[in-house]
């Protein structure tokens, strides 16, 4: 028979004034500081420098020499440069092509792969491989495949009776070639996100739809797609931003050629900064690029928040 | 007159500008089980956490055994708490979980003493056979007992339980409630038990406190609350089925139900104050009498639905003044959509102010029903 | 509206027999509840009627017609699931209309049916809101509306109230009862909550381990359970189960044999004493009364442990040896006087075979 519980065997000494409050905050700060420091040095500082330099006629090769502030001179120069506009157009075409292809293929494949079946995991893993390669490597890979003389693509073309195409020597063909390479590399990303989105839909929703008499196609368009919209939208944003700043791929695939017709805006920034060393001008261009990307992201994220509220 | 074991005075607490406690006052006597009954968000958990010292208060004070412990750390208050999710440590086995507090610097018990106490507490809760098991392998009911054992083993002055049974299924809940009551009766402890389940509260408590919006609406034994419910809110929470409410207005010294019976105000012991926006008449369903339709002095209605439980039948009646549910006396046979009427016997009604919800009839100091 | 018949239904998943030898006829317009603990096969049976699970053997017939080969959408059934099954990205109005739109019903007809359903379920205010904005109880009402709008052959509900808060659950239960009776649709409802089953069902199908234990109306389930399992599963507080042990040439209650039975006084039937097989006695809490200590009367008399009252009912506990028993006295408190003892009412005695758990009566005694 146990003792009465009211017998108190614990020490009665009270601990005065609670120490909880201040020590908590100090701990939080100390845990956050490494990350904060990194963020400041690796992100905030470079961006501020970038904007700063964009107002100067500055070359990194000769930092000491007359750093003349030119105000908006760099920007004015850029905006009046017809070549630059041509690059924007090219970049725009590239982005549109890539994103469209990747989303369509990605969603379709994701849809097929959402249910488990024998061998699914193997197929899935294999599909993820292209994403693991570095863009430069992918660029070189496809460069050899697109070689107009002995490349695999042209070889296959001739076997089905087509003529050899000079892929990398003509601007439009190069555009498609680059889009093909980028799609090959990044569609798996969309597949990944699409599959995750589709699988995130509870089974009972599908069962309810089946019981309600909806055909698989009807279900896909009225239920699966709309419910996956937020995640697919994220995928869209990410691919948009990414393909907008594409550089490595073009560097390896075409070197910007023929001439400079396949130079993206990013490519131009790199060339201006590290070939010509017009650092100020390059900074200005980089700022323009930054503003565009931030602008795009903001619009899209706001749209996403509105969507997210619904669920 | 001994000081209450626990005294909460004017507790105030807000979470990010959303108030959780708004001046809560509560006394729990020594060796009492006090149930804190209220819906989700009423402030039950906040009250328990404040009592234990796990949250900082914006205002008010906490007194244990007459001593002000508001600024004292939880470890110095000699209070133990069983959480809704049990909060067992997954890395330790059952006996180490139970012994955990005893090994902390505050207690510094010897290992022998610890083993002895753990053993006795485990026996009390009938989990002696689980002492070496891993916490993850236990069922819900077993985990519940371990959580209680862990709180009990320290022999605290005050025992706080935050919806400890809500995660369990019905049968298990009933069994454990009965056991908790047994343990309390045999070993005398003071418990503050928070729950949203009316049946759970009355099965276990000596006194009940109805909490809503961060304050206590009414506190007392269930008999006291039944005899003099303080407000419409209390009436809606208590009873199975809970109190029936009807719209009414005052005319000629009677409270007349919309479309029906007039209840003599005199039979209710007079009113405290004049209601501004009309009144609400409340009656415990057990007191309502179901009679044939169109009987004079009654209010008409129609049977909305029947609940035939086999051993008893309950009915929901909808009428012009309001609807109510009631268990039928045997012999009354009603079907869905039947017309019927009901009468409020003299003295059975409570009058509430429609605007504030507070009771305004004085009930003449009537005996508990 | 249809009559559902299950004939020799067996459902196996690999080696696991989820449902075994189920035979049942659900009459047109009836409200049948499958009741049982988790894993007893009730949900699997329901889903096989829906067409979401294939039967391994046996027939499922709607109005005599075999439907095993038909898919869920072809069977004209409607279902309300336990968890979210409303389409979160569609407004309530579109959710409810979905089944009609998916089957290509004409717009005018959809509008007409939508009005009809809105009227019955009182959804007027919520039509243009999204499911996320409604509390769970209201959501299930909408799910029900969506199910009913098509005039299905049978309405299937899979624990629809489990995910809802206690207080709203009671509201919904009454609503469901009212609606089913008004609409008259054949309904099959699955739950593990015996209170729900007792309140809603015309008949209860109690299942355990894939088999049907008992099929009966609520009062028969309550007063005449076929086994210990059935007796203890139904009823809250649970039925008390007491061992009967030999004591001299008679019987006594409890393992320790503390309380001797004297048939003339207790109301225990004579055949119980003559039984050659060991028996257990079951008695429901409401068949136990509180009485004054000194009253000389018939019945088994035991000291009471603890009493607490709620409203008109008095709950109490008492012990037989080590076992804790419960009772509920629903009579007016004044009739009991100063209650100190409990008395078992003879009409409440239920006797079970101690080994098999099956209930035995005078006629079935060997």
């Amino acid at each position: 028979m146990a003792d009465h519980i009211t017998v108190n065997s614990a020490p009665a000494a009270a601990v005065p004034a609670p120490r909880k409050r201040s020590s908590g905050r100090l701990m939080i700060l100390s845990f956050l500081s490494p990350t904060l420091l990194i963020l400041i040095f690796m992100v905030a500082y470079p961006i501020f420098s970038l904007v700063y330099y964009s107002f100067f006629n500055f070359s990194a090769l000769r930092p000491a020499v007359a750093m003349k502030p030119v105000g908006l001179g760099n920007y004015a120069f850029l905006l009046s440069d017809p070549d630059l506009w041509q690059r924007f157009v090219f970049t725009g075409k590239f982005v549109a092509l890539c994103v469209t292809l990747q989303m369509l293929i990605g969603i379709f494949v994701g849809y097929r792969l959402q249910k488990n079946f024998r061998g699914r995991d193997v197929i899935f893993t294999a599909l993820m491989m292209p994403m693991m390669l570095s863009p430069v490597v992918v660029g070189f890979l496809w460069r050899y495949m697109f070689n107009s003389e002995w490349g695999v693509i042209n070889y296959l073309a001739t076997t089905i009776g087509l003529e050899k195409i000079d892929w990398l020597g003509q601007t439009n063909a190069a555009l498609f070639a680059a889009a093909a390479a980028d799609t090959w590399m990044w569609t798996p990303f969309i597949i990944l996100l699409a599959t995750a989105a589709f699988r995130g839909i509870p089974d009972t929703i599908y069962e309810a739809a089946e019981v309600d008499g909806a055909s698989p196609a009807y279900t896909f368009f009225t239920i699966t797609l709309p419910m996956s919209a937020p995640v697919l939208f994220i995928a869209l944003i990410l691919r948009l931003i990414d393909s907008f700043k594409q550089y490595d791929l073009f560097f390896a695939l075409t070197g910007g050629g023929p001439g400079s017709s396949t130079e993206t805006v990013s490519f131009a920034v790199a060339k201006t900064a590290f070939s010509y060393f017009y650092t100020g001008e390059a900074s200005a261009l980089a700022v323009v690029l930054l503003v565009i990307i931030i602008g795009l992201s903001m619009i899209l994220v706001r749209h996403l928040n509105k969507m997210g509220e619904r669920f | 007159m001994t000081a209450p074991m626990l005294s909460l005075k004017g507790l105030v607490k807000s979470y990010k500008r959303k108030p959780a406690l708004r001046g809560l006052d509560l006394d729990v006597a020594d060796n009492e089980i006090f149930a804190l009954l209220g819906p989700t968000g009423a402030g039950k958990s906040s009250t328990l956490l404040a009592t234990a010292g796990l949250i900082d208060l914006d205002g008010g004070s906490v007194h244990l055994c007459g001593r002000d412990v508001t600024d004292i750390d939880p470890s110095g208050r000699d209070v133990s708490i069983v959480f809704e999710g049990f909060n067992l440590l997954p890395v330790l086995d059952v006996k180490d979980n139970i012994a955990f507090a005893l090994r902390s610097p505050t207690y510094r018990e010897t290992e022998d003493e610890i083993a002895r106490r753990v053993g006795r507490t485990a026996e009390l809760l009938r989990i002696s056979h689980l002492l070496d098991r891993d916490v993850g392998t236990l069922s819900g009911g077993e985990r519940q007992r371990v959580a209680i054992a862990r709180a009990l083993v320290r022999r605290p002055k005050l025992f706080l339980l935050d919806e400890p049974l809500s995660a369990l299924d019905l049968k298990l809940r009933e069994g454990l409630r009965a056991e908790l009551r047994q343990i309390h009766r045999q070993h005398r402890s003071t418990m503050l038990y928070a729950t949203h389940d009316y049946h759970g509260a009355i099965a276990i408590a000596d006194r009940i406190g109805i909490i809503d919006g961060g304050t206590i609406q009414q506190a007392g034994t269930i008999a006291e609350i039944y005899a003099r419910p303080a407000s419409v809110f209390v009436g809606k929470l208590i009873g199975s089925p809970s109190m029936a409410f009807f719209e009414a207005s005052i005319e000629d010294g009677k409270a007349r139900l919309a479309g029906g019976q007039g209840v003599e105000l005199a039979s209710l012991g007079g009113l405290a104050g004049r209601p501004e926006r009309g009144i609400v008449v409340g009656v415990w369903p057990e007191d309502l009498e179901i009679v044939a339709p169109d009987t004079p002095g009654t209010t008409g209605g129609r049977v909305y639905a029947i609940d035939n439980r086999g051993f008893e039948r309950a009915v929901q009646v909808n009428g012009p003044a309001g609807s109510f549910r009631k268990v039928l006396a045997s012999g009354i046979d009603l079907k869905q959509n039947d017309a019927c009427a009901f009468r409020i016997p003299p003295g059975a009604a409570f009058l509430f102010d429609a605007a504030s919800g507070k009771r305004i009839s004085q009930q003449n100091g009537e005996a508990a029903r | 509206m249809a009559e559902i018949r299950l004939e020799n239904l067996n459902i196996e998943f690999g080696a696991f027999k989820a449902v075994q030898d189920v035979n049942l006829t659900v009459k047109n317009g009836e409200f049948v509840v499958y009741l049982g603990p988790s894993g007893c096969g009730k949900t699997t049976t329901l889903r096989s009627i829906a067409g979401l699970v294939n039967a391994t053997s046996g027939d499922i017939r709607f109005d005599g017609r075999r439907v095993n080969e038909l898919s869920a959408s072809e069977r004209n059934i409607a279902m309300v699931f336990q968890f979210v099954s409303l389409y979160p990205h569609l407004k309530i109005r579109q959710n409810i209309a979905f089944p009609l739109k998916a089957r290509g019903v004409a717009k005018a007809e959809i509008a007409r049916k939508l009005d009809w359903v809105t009227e019955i379920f009182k959804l007027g205010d919520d039509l243009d809101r999204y499911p996320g904005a409604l509390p769970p109880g209201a959501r299930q009402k909408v799910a029900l509306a969506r199910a009913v709008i098509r005039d299905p052959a049978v309405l299937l509900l899979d624990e629809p109230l489990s995910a809802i808060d206690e207080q709203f659950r009671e509201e919904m239960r009454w609503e469901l009862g009212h609606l089913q009776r008004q609409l008259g649709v054949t309904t099959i409802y699955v739950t593990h909550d015996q209170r729900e089953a007792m309140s809603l069902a015309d008949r209860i199908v109690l299942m355990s381990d894939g088999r049907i234990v008992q099929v009966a109306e609520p009062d028969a389930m309550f007063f005449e359970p076929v086994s210990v399992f059935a007796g203890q599963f139904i009823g809250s507080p649970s039925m008390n189960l007491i061992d009967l042990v030999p004591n001299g040439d008679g019987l006594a209650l409890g393992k320790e044999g503390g309380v001797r039975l004297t048939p003339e006084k207790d109301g225990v039937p004579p055949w119980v004493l003559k039984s050659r097989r060991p028996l257990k006695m079951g008695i429901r809490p409401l068949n136990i009364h509180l009485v004054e200590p000194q009253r000389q009367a018939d019945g088994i008399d035991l000291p009471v442990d603890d009493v607490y009252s709620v409203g008109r009912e008095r709950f109490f506990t008492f012990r037989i040896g080590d076992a804790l028993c419960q009772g509920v006295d629903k009579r007016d408190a004044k009739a009991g006087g100063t209650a100190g003892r409990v008395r078992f009412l003879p009409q409440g005695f239920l006797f079970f075979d101690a080994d098999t758990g099956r209930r035995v009566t005078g006629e079935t005694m060997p």
Side-chain angles (χ1 to χ4, degrees), chain B residues 39-234:
Chain B
T40 328
K44 306 188 291 293
S45 295
S46 302
T47 307
L48 291 189
L49 293 174
T51 309
L54 291 167
I55 54 172
D56 294 330
L57 287 167
D58 296 333
S61 56
V62 178
H63 302 256
L64 277 171
C65 293
R67 216 172 42 140
D68 188 340
V69 298
T70 319
D71 289 320
I72 297 182
D73 261 3
S75 50
R77 295 193 193 197
D78 199 23
V79 156
S80 73
I81 180 165
V82 179
F83 297 91
E84 183 171 357
F86 312 149
N87 284 11
L88 296 179
L89 296 166
V91 294
L92 300 176
D93 64 15
V94 169
K95 64 177 187 301
D96 287 329
N97 258 285
I98 301 177
F100 191 76
L102 297 176
R103 295 206 174 105
S104 77
T106 331
Y107 284 91
R108 278 180 264 116
E109 297 282 350
T110 62
E111 277 305 311
D112 280 341
E113 176 66 14
I114 290 178
R116 203 171 57 87
R117 292 223 267 171
V118 168
R120 269 219 306 265
T121 313
E123 213 181 284
L124 190 62
L125 284 157
R126 301 194 279 136
I127 48 171
S128 307
H129 59 292
L130 298 173
L131 283 174
D132 291 312
R133 288 264 293 271
D134 240 338
V135 165
T137 63
L138 300 178
S139 71
E142 291 166 341
R143 254 182 260 186
Q144 166 62 306
R145 287 169 209 262
V146 174
I148 296 179
R150 182 176 66 173
L152 260 184
V153 79
R154 284 174 40 213
R155 296 192 226 136
K157 286 203 208 90
L158 179 63
F159 206 359
L160 302 172
L161 299 103
D162 193 352
E163 309 240 31
L165 304 181
S166 59
L168 305 174
D169 71 53
L170 199 60
K171 296 278 169 196
L172 214 49
R173 238 186 280 176
E174 287 170 0
L176 276 169
R177 261 188 241 144
E179 282 195 39
L180 269 176
R181 217 176 142 80
Q182 281 290 320
I183 292 175
H184 169 69
R185 287 182 69 242
Q186 285 177 333
H187 304 288
R188 302 179 60 203
S189 52
T190 310
M191 286 191 203
L192 182 57
Y193 184 100
T195 182
H196 66 269
D197 175 20
Y198 164 70
H199 291 283
I202 55 167
I204 203 174
D206 298 315
R207 282 198 310 146
I208 300 185
I210 316 277
I211 180 173
D212 186 47
T215 55
I216 300 280
Q217 302 283 318
Q218 183 170 10
T221 63
I222 189 71
E224 286 165 8
I225 298 179
Y226 241 78
R228 304 164 113 78
S231 65
V232 167
F233 181 82
V234 171

Side-chain angles (χ1 to χ4, degrees), chain B residues 170-347:
Chain B
L170 199 60
K171 296 278 169 196
L172 214 49
R173 238 186 280 176
E174 287 170 0
L176 276 169
R177 261 188 241 144
E179 282 195 39
L180 269 176
R181 217 176 142 80
Q182 281 290 320
I183 292 175
H184 169 69
R185 287 182 69 242
Q186 285 177 333
H187 304 288
R188 302 179 60 203
S189 52
T190 310
M191 286 191 203
L192 182 57
Y193 184 100
T195 182
H196 66 269
D197 175 20
Y198 164 70
H199 291 283
I202 55 167
I204 203 174
D206 298 315
R207 282 198 310 146
I208 300 185
I210 316 277
I211 180 173
D212 186 47
T215 55
I216 300 280
Q217 302 283 318
Q218 183 170 10
T221 63
I222 189 71
E224 286 165 8
I225 298 179
Y226 241 78
R228 304 164 113 78
S231 65
V232 167
F233 181 82
V234 171
K236 284 200 177 136
L237 219 56
I238 301 284
S240 179
S242 55
M243 186 176 261
F245 292 102
F246 305 103
E247 286 168 18
S249 50
I250 300 189
E251 49 175 80
D252 306 324
K254 293 190 201 188
R256 183 161 294 280
L257 269 62
Q261 183 182 357
V263 178
E264 294 283 348
L265 290 181
S267 70
L268 304 172
L271 297 183
R274 292 244 69 199
E276 278 186 20
R277 277 211 283 131
I279 52 170
V280 170
V281 170
V283 188
W284 294 117
E286 304 89 271
D287 294 333
L288 288 171
E289 291 166 5
I290 305 242
V291 295
D294 299 322
T295 315
T298 66
T299 315
R302 190 166 290 276
V303 176
Y304 186 74
I306 297 270
D307 179 346
N308 181 0
R309 295 173 198 158
F311 55 91
E312 69 185 9
R313 304 173 82 223
V315 67
Q316 178 173 334
V317 173
N318 286 13
S323 60
F324 65 89
R325 297 190 189 125
K326 178 183 165 61
V327 172
L328 291 175
S330 54
I332 299 186
D333 195 17
L334 288 171
K335 287 188 301 296
Q336 186 163 320
N337 284 324
D338 279 353
C340 65
F342 62 94
R343 179 195 306 146
I344 305 175

